[in-house]
Amino acid sequence: MSHIKQNISLKPYNTFGIDVLAKHFVSVSNLEELNTVLALKEYPNKLILGGGSNMLLTKNQKALVIHINLKGISIVSEDDNFVFVKANAGENWHKFVLWSLNNNFGGIENLSLIPGNVGTAPIQNIGAYGVELKDTFVSCEGVSMETYQLKSFSKAACNFGYRSSIFKQQAKGKYIITSVTFKLSKRAHKLNINYGSIASQLETMQITSPTIQDVSNSVIHIRESKLPNPKEIGNSGSFFKNPIISKTHYNTLIENFPDIPSYTISNDEIKIPAGWLIEKSGFKGKRFGDYGVHKNQALVLVNYGNAKGSDILNLSKLIQKTVKRLFDISIEAEVNIL
Ligand code: EPU
């Protein structure tokens, strides 16, 4: 039976590096342990902790914090062209990407260097450089917090959208994802190099016929140049989602801000990079003591050392208010505030 510890600092368990205490903490490394811990009646409130890369901890946690440490990657089946790979929830996401590249399995190379674990990746349908988790996702398994039964979720059941899934909607807080199965290519890899600066980065690297490894290297290079490494500066990646506004709203904005970047989503929907809105609001690179807005990517809030979660939360509210006042756009936090 796993050992329940008391008053454990969560600083090493969240990429923002916020120092709050878990009153009760347990790490589970197999399904049996997880089931036993879930059934403990003396801890009615539980908080599930994966890679800690999408959360802002604003206070000490009274619930039993369950750290999901389920490890293992296995090939479920394969044919000449594709392989089905099952990875357990506690595997580090980037290590899993590197494992797939070492095996020459393609499909997730654009998602290189995203912090967090395999098990939390489907919750917000992680995405970067033109690829989302859902593109290679086959299914996942999760344990019900109520019945402790293992349930399988097909891709359709997950209802994936931009930074969203059923696990952020109807099934929020109801399941603990324990494993994810992916369909990866073994040959004739379909490369996605049209997004943003991947193509120009490949050109700089003088690569004319890129491999999946080359694409991964470009993504790593771009991310390292724009995004802070959580091991050096605490952060949680994009703090906000990119907002979607109406065409009418966009048409009024473009009169005052002719340089506003935009991506068309549908006939009446336009996505605006929140990073641009925050930069235009004057926050990019602003530092307030131990916390602030990253200098290279305004979407990322950072902890330079000993920031409190509440300081960062207040800054995020100030940013939201300012963006609302200047552009009449509400930007929504992407990270979970706890
Ligand atoms: N921009 C600015 N100032 C900034 C940042 C961005 O003006 O400080 C504008 C620029 O016009 C730039 C555009 O925003 O061309 C887009 O920027 P970028 O390519 O960096 O992408 P993003 O929309 O800001 C999204 C994801 C990132 C992901 C990148 C690349 C969201 C919320 N964020 O950012 O995801 O890495 O695209 O695909 O969708 C994450 O979720 O943690 C994350 C880092």
Side-chain angles (χ1 to χ4, degrees):
M1 170 49 203
S2 340
H3 183 57
I4 296 180
K5 298 178 190 157
Q6 316 298 330
N7 296 323
I8 292 294
S9 166
L10 291 177
K11 192 172 165 95
Y13 295 97
N14 72 99
T15 61
F16 246 126
I18 305 290
D19 194 5
V20 296
L21 292 179
K23 196 151 195 258
H24 316 283
F25 177 95
V26 66
S27 188
V28 295
S29 30
N30 59 55
L31 287 181
E32 253 188 330
E33 281 181 4
L34 176 59
N35 277 345
T36 312
V37 164
L38 281 179
L40 292 172
K41 294 273 182 293
E42 57 271 47
Y43 303 103
N45 299 318
K46 287 148 182 125
L47 172 67
I48 308 304
L49 179 67
S53 62
N54 203 39
M55 51 162 55
L56 177 65
L57 295 163
T58 59
K59 50 180 178 290
N60 290 339
Q61 301 295 316
K62 293 193 182 105
L64 170 62
V65 175
I66 306 177
H67 176 233
I68 306 298
N69 196 28
L70 308 167
K71 301 280 190 197
I73 302 172
S74 55
I75 292 176
V76 182
S77 64
E78 60 187 308
D79 60 20
D80 288 347
N81 300 313
F82 294 101
V83 59
F84 288 79
V85 178
K86 179 174 171 174
N88 284 332
E91 287 290 340
N92 172 269
W93 174 263
H94 183 60
K95 278 197 186 148
F96 174 57
V97 173
L98 295 180
W99 177 92
S100 75
L101 291 169
N102 282 339
N103 286 283
N104 194 33
F105 298 155
I108 51 175
E109 55 281 355
N110 292 47
L111 304 179
S112 296
L113 219 58
I114 294 186
N117 286 356
V118 167
T120 36
I123 301 177
Q124 54 154 341
N125 181 27
I126 57 168
Y129 306 104
V131 172
E132 289 183 321
L133 174 106
K134 72 171 169 60
D135 303 332
T136 50
F137 179 97
V138 176
S139 63
C140 67
E141 286 183 317
V143 173
S144 160
M145 300 273 284
E146 280 157 23
T147 64
Y148 319 144
Q149 299 292 309
L150 201 58
K151 181 176 158 145
S152 182
F153 293 85
S154 67
K155 182 166 165 172
C158 289
N159 199 17
F160 289 121
Y162 165 63
R163 293 294 193 278
S164 170
S165 75
I166 190 172
F167 304 107
K168 275 193 130 180
Q169 313 284 337
Q170 304 95 300
K172 188 170 180 179
K174 296 198 169 133
Y175 293 90
I176 300 166
I177 296 173
T178 53
S179 72
V180 185
T181 301
F182 300 87
K183 182 183 178 183
L184 304 175
S185 55
K186 286 170 70 175
R187 47 184 289 277
H189 304 300
K190 256 176 76 190
L191 301 185
N192 286 283
I193 55 169
N194 295 327
Y195 186 96
S197 37
I198 296 189
S200 60
Q201 179 57 35
L202 287 166
E203 223 169 90
T204 312
M205 287 155 49
Q206 296 187 324
I207 292 164
T208 44
S209 28
T211 61
I212 50 176
Q213 184 70 60
D214 295 326
V215 174
S216 169
N217 288 340
S218 314
V219 168
I220 289 174
H221 191 276
I222 298 166
R223 286 189 76 97
E224 282 179 338
S225 68
K226 274 194 178 180
L227 299 167
N229 178 351
K231 288 196 178 120
E232 289 155 18
I233 302 176
N235 76 90
S236 186
S238 304
F239 193 92
F240 301 99
K241 288 193 213 179
N242 287 332
I244 293 168
I245 62 170
S246 71
K247 189 97 186 239
T248 325
H249 191 173
Y250 173 74
N251 287 338
T252 57
L253 285 174
I254 201 157
E255 283 179 21
N256 293 327
F257 307 98
D259 61 334
I260 188 167
S262 63
Y263 311 99
T264 301
I265 301 289
S266 69
N267 274 345
D268 186 47
E269 292 173 307
I270 313 268
K271 192 189 265 185
I272 309 291
W276 185 88
L277 297 169
I278 299 167
E279 182 171 344
K280 280 279 167 184
S281 304
F283 285 101
K284 190 171 184 172
K286 275 262 151 63
R287 181 168 175 169
F288 308 86
D290 256 3
Y291 61 99
V293 178
H294 189 55
K295 63 180 194 319
N296 299 334
Q297 167 53 291
L299 252 189
V300 179
L301 305 190
V302 290
N303 170 13
Y304 289 103
N306 296 311
K308 287 196 199 128
S310 53
D311 290 336
I312 293 172
L313 180 61
N314 288 338
L315 172 60
S316 79
K317 287 182 179 162
L318 178 64
I319 291 172
Q320 282 171 320
K321 250 169 94 180
T322 313
V323 168
K324 178 75 184 164
R325 181 166 50 79
L326 294 177
F327 302 97
D328 194 23
I329 296 178
S330 303
I331 52 171
E332 199 187 316
E334 191 200 293
V335 303
N336 296 309
I337 317 281
L338 292 164

